[in-house]
Amino acid sequence: MLISISAQAYSLLSLRTFCKHIPLIRPSTLKLRHFSAASISRTSVSAAGPLNFEALTSHQKHQVRLYIDSLLEWNQKMNLTAVKEENEVMERHVEDSLAIIEPVRDSYMLRCGDSFENLSVVDVGSGAGLPGVILAIACPSWKVTLLESLNKRCVFLEHVVGLIGLQNVQIVRDRAETVGQNLDYRENFDIAVARAVAEMRVLAEYCLPLVRVGGLFVAAKGHDPQEEVAKAEKAIHLMGASLLQTCFVESHSKFGQRTAIICLKDGPTPRKYPRAPGIPSKLPL
């Protein structure tokens, strides 16, 4: 079953991010190098400014507030998030979702293309629409697909996307393993993102079959993901990708930072992947 809705917001913002680049070597020997925010090229897509919710236009801020209000209202009747207060949703969900934009932009502009506009993005295991709905608000030229397997969450997503008035979002109710074998979606996205869905080696099999050759897979992770990334090395390579970098971004989590693990799709994913529904999580590569 497909539910198509579409989205239109306004300007993409620039986000302050402290990136640590990883050479293309085995994760077990990763050594991170610091790059200051000032050293990052800020080419084209957005005006410089504050690096958080305050950088959005008044219209975008209104859309975010509508999203938060709907999330908290619907959360009273279904389990969408463990966060119960408006300020916590803003800090832990909205700001964390916005924080991945800058490292993704810098990686994409460096390795994937000369424009960060009009991208096709899939949010795998979107849940309550995080980060996908927030990305659609902040990046109006993107076509964002929210991939979610649970019907009740898709009902919420359909409601909130319609309420906000987004024009560039489609909602797909299905499993990532099934959609990854569907030629309408397979290797059809510039970027796949996932947040709080599964461990990295499982995410690689969920997400990378959806990414075009030359595109990016971005996993939003916690403050110290290096062991998890090392375990995912085999799966990442089997899916036709390589580890590009990890970026540490400011966060309101108790550790003060989160990470965006960014992989580059170097070649096509073998046709047998993703495996049948349920197998990747039970038998990770």
Side-chain angles (χ1 to χ4, degrees):
M1 174 182 176
L2 301 183
I3 308 171
S4 285
I5 307 168
S6 282
Q8 184 78 225
Y10 289 17
S11 61
L12 173 63
L13 60 162
S14 171
L15 297 162
R16 180 177 64 247
T17 306
F18 299 97
C19 287
K20 301 185 179 182
H21 288 245
I22 301 180
L24 298 180
I25 55 177
R26 296 181 62 85
S28 58
T29 60
L30 292 179
K31 296 182 179 179
L32 306 182
R33 294 184 288 127
H34 288 265
F35 286 75
S36 69
S39 71
I40 298 173
S41 173
R42 302 192 180 278
T43 41
S44 84
V45 284
S46 61
L51 310 174
N52 52 31
F53 171 77
E54 294 305 319
L56 299 175
T57 68
S58 59
H59 179 69
Q60 289 170 319
K61 289 177 182 178
H62 178 64
Q63 289 178 308
V64 170
R65 291 188 183 104
L66 285 176
Y67 170 77
I68 292 174
D69 289 346
S70 293
L71 176 64
L72 292 174
E73 179 185 353
W74 281 60
N75 200 50
Q76 296 177 24
K77 52 188 176 184
M78 67 173 67
N79 183 25
L80 293 169
T81 176
V83 177
K84 307 297 183 183
E85 301 296 331
E86 180 178 351
N87 65 327
E88 286 189 282
V89 175
M90 180 67 72
E91 292 178 351
R92 293 176 56 182
H93 290 327
V94 174
E95 296 284 17
D96 272 10
S97 295
L98 292 174
I100 70 172
I101 295 176
E102 186 174 35
V104 172
R105 182 199 60 199
D106 294 330
S107 295
Y108 192 89
M109 297 290 288
L110 179 66
R111 302 299 294 267
C112 305
D114 58 4
S115 174
F116 200 55
E117 301 285 350
N118 303 308
L119 299 185
S120 178
V121 178
V122 58
D123 177 14
V124 177
S126 187
L130 297 162
V133 169
I134 303 303
L135 297 181
I137 291 171
C139 307
S141 71
W142 290 6
K143 295 180 180 179
V144 178
T145 296
L146 308 178
L147 176 57
E148 172 56 46
S149 63
L150 293 183
N151 183 65
K152 66 178 183 178
R153 292 176 181 167
C154 288
V155 171
F156 166 73
L157 292 173
E158 182 179 8
H159 164 78
V160 78
V161 168
L163 177 69
I164 292 171
L166 298 176
Q167 297 292 313
N168 63 337
V169 173
Q170 79 165 335
I171 300 165
V172 176
R173 181 168 66 85
D174 211 334
R175 294 183 65 108
E177 302 98 317
T178 302
V179 173
Q181 291 290 355
N182 185 329
L183 295 181
D184 289 336
Y185 299 100
R186 184 179 178 86
E187 299 193 330
N188 197 41
F189 295 93
D190 297 303
I191 299 172
V193 298
R195 180 179 184 262
V197 175
E199 64 172 303
M200 190 72 184
R201 55 184 174 171
V202 176
L203 280 181
E205 189 170 353
Y206 286 166
C207 296
L208 280 165
L210 297 169
V211 179
R212 68 169 175 85
V213 175
L216 297 179
F217 158 46
V218 183
K221 288 293 181 179
H223 76 290
D224 186 18
Q226 296 310 313
E227 181 178 352
E228 182 179 345
V229 172
K231 289 180 179 178
E233 176 190 16
K234 177 183 177 183
I236 292 169
H237 289 171
L238 279 175
M239 297 304 120
S242 58
L243 187 65
L244 184 60
Q245 66 176 6
T246 188
C247 293
F248 289 78
V249 298
E250 291 186 359
S251 169
H252 290 275
S253 71
K254 64 180 180 179
F255 297 104
Q257 69 178 24
R258 291 178 62 85
T259 53
I261 309 301
I262 303 177
C263 298
L264 177 67
K265 184 77 172 282
D266 302 303
T269 299
R271 198 69 184 89
K272 65 180 179 179
Y273 299 114
R275 293 168 291 171
I279 294 179
S281 60
K282 293 177 182 178
L283 297 171
L285 296 167

